[in-house]
Amino acid sequence: MPHREHSDIIFGNRGMSLEEEINQSNAYYLQKEIAVIHKKPVPIQIVQVSYPKRSAAVIKEAYFKQSSTTDYNGVYKGYYLDFEAKETKNKKSFPLSNFHEHQIKHMKACTRQGGICFTIIKFSVTQQLFLLPAATLFNYWDNQAKGRKSIEKKVIASFGYAINYHVQPLIPYLTYVDKLINK
């Protein structure tokens, strides 16, 4: 069996979604008192509930109260962070249709207030992860009317940061947030 260098080992892709991987990383950051970052709950209005058993309730009908903003927010080194987690099965580009207008507006509002916004993108077929700064996303979003409806992976790799899986935290994205802070 050939010897594998430590850097060749892939710790991700154990049946977890990107959000589960980020949640696991955030739990590590919280436990080690490195950062306080949480997944935002989706606001829903429950309309109808049935009780088939006294101890169990089943939601039969519910609606979104309002459009959700972004997936995660929190505080790291005194900085407010707000970001999205997105996955794609595409191999060479990330479709802008994975975003909604209200998410972009929210991220723009946060950056105007000094918050740090970004997206963690996972190309699930190749198991590649990137942290893409909001400024690059905004540029492509604002110019999509000119024709381009996606961001090429090579652009993401050039303007963003490739993230390698680790054991703890599984996705060490705060290493790259430090680079955004120091820019």
Side-chain angles (χ1 to χ4, degrees):
M1 184 162 177
H3 173 72
R4 288 181 63 125
E5 292 295 320
H6 178 71
S7 61
D8 293 339
I9 298 170
I10 297 174
F11 295 104
N13 192 22
R14 296 197 176 135
M16 285 192 278
S17 71
L18 176 59
E19 286 189 0
E20 289 170 326
E21 293 171 344
I22 293 171
N23 292 346
Q24 187 181 85
S25 301
N26 288 344
Y28 172 85
Y29 289 139
L30 183 63
Q31 187 224 349
K32 296 293 184 184
E33 297 185 355
I34 296 168
V36 178
I37 301 165
H38 295 286
K39 172 116 175 73
K40 295 183 203 173
V42 177
I44 61 167
Q45 174 69 46
I46 298 171
V47 177
Q48 183 182 2
V49 180
S50 72
Y51 298 90
K53 296 179 184 176
R54 291 174 82 182
S55 62
V58 177
I59 298 171
K60 294 288 189 180
E61 187 176 358
Y63 300 96
F64 294 110
K65 280 185 181 180
Q66 62 196 36
S67 298
S68 184
T69 52
T70 51
D71 291 329
Y72 295 90
N73 70 344
V75 180
Y76 171 61
K77 293 184 176 178
Y79 292 92
Y80 175 76
L81 305 182
D82 204 296
F83 64 98
E84 269 294 300
K86 299 288 188 183
E87 291 186 69
T88 183
K89 291 182 180 176
N90 291 2
K91 293 179 183 177
K92 295 187 177 187
S93 66
F94 181 79
L96 291 169
S97 61
N98 284 346
F99 284 95
H100 300 284
E101 179 74 32
H102 65 270
Q103 293 172 319
I104 301 296
K105 283 183 179 179
H106 174 76
M107 291 172 79
K108 285 181 176 182
C110 289
T111 57
R112 282 193 299 272
Q113 296 300 318
I116 298 172
C117 295
F118 54 91
T119 300
I120 296 177
I121 299 172
K122 180 177 182 177
F123 287 87
S124 55
V125 173
T126 59
Q127 290 297 300
Q128 290 175 288
L129 290 171
F130 296 92
L131 185 147
L132 183 68
T136 304
L137 171 62
F138 298 161
N139 181 47
Y140 276 81
W141 180 267
D142 294 341
N143 289 302
Q144 66 181 317
K146 296 178 183 173
R148 183 108 197 138
K149 305 286 188 220
S150 64
I151 307 173
E152 293 176 289
K153 187 195 288 186
K154 65 183 180 184
V155 170
I156 293 168
S158 178
F159 289 95
Y161 302 96
I163 303 172
N164 293 316
Y165 283 103
H166 286 263
V167 175
Q168 286 293 352
L170 185 60
I171 299 177
Y173 68 90
L174 290 181
T175 300
Y176 305 98
V177 170
D178 283 333
K179 293 179 186 296
L180 297 177
I181 290 168
N182 293 327
K183 268 193 170 180

